[in-house]
Amino acid sequence: MHALHARLPKNFVLEERLERFGAYIEPAPWTLKGHWAQACYPSLGIAQSCTKHSAVQAMQAVQEPLCFDTVHLDLGCGKGVFTCDIAAQHPNILFIGMDSEPICIAYAAAHAHEARLPNVLFVPGHAAKLNQYFSAGEISRIYLNFPTPFPRKKECAHRLTHAHMLDSYREVLAPDGSIRLKTDSIPLYRFSLTQIEPAGYTLNWKSDNVRELLPHEPATGYELRLTAQGAAVHGFEIVPGPRPTSIELPMSMSLVDYLPKDLSELTYIPHGMEGTVTNLRNRQFRSKTRSKNKRS
């Protein structure tokens, strides 16, 4: 979830940033498919220039190439604050931050450059193309941090927690891998819970206070901003079970269906649903006014 309408600094030149911090950007992720853990390992001397070496060249560098223990994917990484902070905590894991917005990739790569991290790389890419970038079982964990809610029913397929999306992650997720969601949006959280069983996953845990559950996991930029506005962080971790032969979706696909019926109970409006909630509140107010006028 991004704030792409924020003003950019006057001296911000996207192409120049992408080139300057290019050592932390992989513009052709398909070339490393199946070899990320080996090709990007610092001991091979290519931690700052994975893009300069093909996976085959990297694996031929030594007879038994060293590699990262696992590969984690931060899907929709934004400006990369979380990706870099958690990479610093786990130097034995390769963290890949993926985002479809080039401006976010530029900021994220600059952040990694400043921190001099040897185990993080950023990729301009889309969730729908993961199987083009990674081999089966190559990813041990996928982070979905504050994804865009897409509240309208007609946009529901774009939600990163939609059952069909969860099913597609199986193509790259390790058999014992996991998917971890964090969101400020109760409607998105409730909707996402309905998608787990149809997609053939099981819950490791769910929480209405993920910060309390995972106190040592770094906060994202969105988490810091939204919790300061009164948001709680909801989330879960799921693991793949047997793949269903077909996916039966619940009837309620609009996030409006997961809001309280009385919107006066809503003390915090989820990010990305401000306009929706405002329209609904206005509609409820007009309806109550008409009913009151009829009684009088």
Side-chain angles (χ1 to χ4, degrees):
M1 183 160 55
H2 317 307
L4 298 181
H5 302 295
R7 289 184 181 177
L8 296 174
K10 288 184 178 180
N11 61 346
F12 186 98
V13 179
L14 178 59
E15 292 74 13
E16 184 272 334
R17 293 261 184 142
L18 294 174
E19 182 177 356
R20 192 196 326 171
F21 305 118
Y24 285 95
I25 302 172
E26 177 48 72
W30 53 88
T31 64
L32 295 179
K33 181 177 180 178
H35 306 289
W36 288 89
Q38 297 91 349
C40 297
Y41 192 71
S43 295
L44 294 180
I46 57 172
Q48 305 304 314
S49 56
C50 289
T51 59
K52 306 298 190 297
H53 297 258
S54 70
V56 174
Q57 288 173 320
M59 295 186 70
Q60 290 175 345
V62 291
Q63 287 185 337
E64 295 183 1
L66 297 171
C67 64
F68 287 104
D69 292 347
T70 56
V71 181
H72 289 191
L73 174 65
D74 184 7
L75 192 55
C77 66
K79 294 182 180 180
V81 174
F82 171 83
T83 321
C84 291
D85 287 350
I86 199 168
Q89 289 184 352
H90 303 281
N92 59 322
I93 298 174
L94 174 63
F95 287 87
I96 300 171
M98 181 177 293
D99 205 284
S100 61
E101 176 51 56
I103 293 174
C104 290
I105 293 294
Y107 273 113
H111 191 53
H113 173 82
E114 291 168 4
R116 294 292 190 267
L117 293 167
N119 63 323
V120 65
L121 199 63
F122 292 97
V123 172
H126 299 269
K129 297 183 178 181
L130 292 187
N131 63 346
Q132 298 179 28
Y133 308 146
F134 305 102
S135 291
E138 193 164 18
I139 303 298
S140 294
R141 177 172 293 163
I142 297 176
Y143 295 94
L144 306 176
N145 289 323
F146 298 87
T148 303
F150 295 109
R152 292 184 293 180
K153 180 179 178 179
K154 66 179 182 180
E155 298 176 316
C156 69
H158 296 298
R159 295 174 200 150
L160 294 184
T161 55
H162 189 284
H164 289 305
M165 292 299 296
L166 295 178
D167 182 64
S168 71
Y169 302 149
R170 289 174 175 272
E171 298 182 26
V172 300
L173 194 64
D176 60 346
S178 64
I179 298 172
R180 187 172 287 181
L181 168 73
K182 284 192 288 232
T183 180
D184 69 304
S185 174
I186 292 179
L188 179 62
Y189 173 59
R190 290 174 176 169
F191 163 82
S192 301
L193 287 171
T194 71
Q195 305 296 290
I196 297 171
E197 185 177 347
Y201 285 78
T202 58
L203 272 168
N204 268 354
W205 53 260
K206 64 177 180 177
S207 176
D208 290 319
N209 191 342
V210 177
R211 177 51 49 206
E212 184 177 82
L213 183 69
L214 304 173
H216 303 298
E217 186 165 285
T220 72
Y222 265 101
E223 180 177 344
L224 293 172
R225 195 182 93 189
L226 297 177
T227 53
Q229 298 173 9
V233 181
H234 313 274
F236 57 65
E237 183 176 272
I238 57 176
V239 293
R243 193 168 197 172
T245 55
S246 62
I247 295 177
E248 302 294 332
L249 295 175
M251 295 298 293
S252 298
M253 301 302 286
S254 168
L255 293 191
V256 170
D257 298 330
Y258 299 90
L259 287 166
K261 294 192 181 301
D262 184 357
L263 293 177
S264 64
E265 299 175 6
L266 207 60
T267 58
Y268 169 80
I269 300 177
H271 186 75
M273 293 192 69
E274 295 90 347
T276 300
V277 171
T278 298
N279 291 337
L280 288 171
R281 280 178 168 170
N282 290 339
R283 193 180 304 169
Q284 286 185 357
F285 176 77
R286 289 194 296 268
S287 177
K288 289 179 181 179
T289 301
R290 284 195 297 268
S291 298
K292 185 178 179 180
N293 289 339
K294 286 182 180 179
R295 289 195 299 268
S296 59

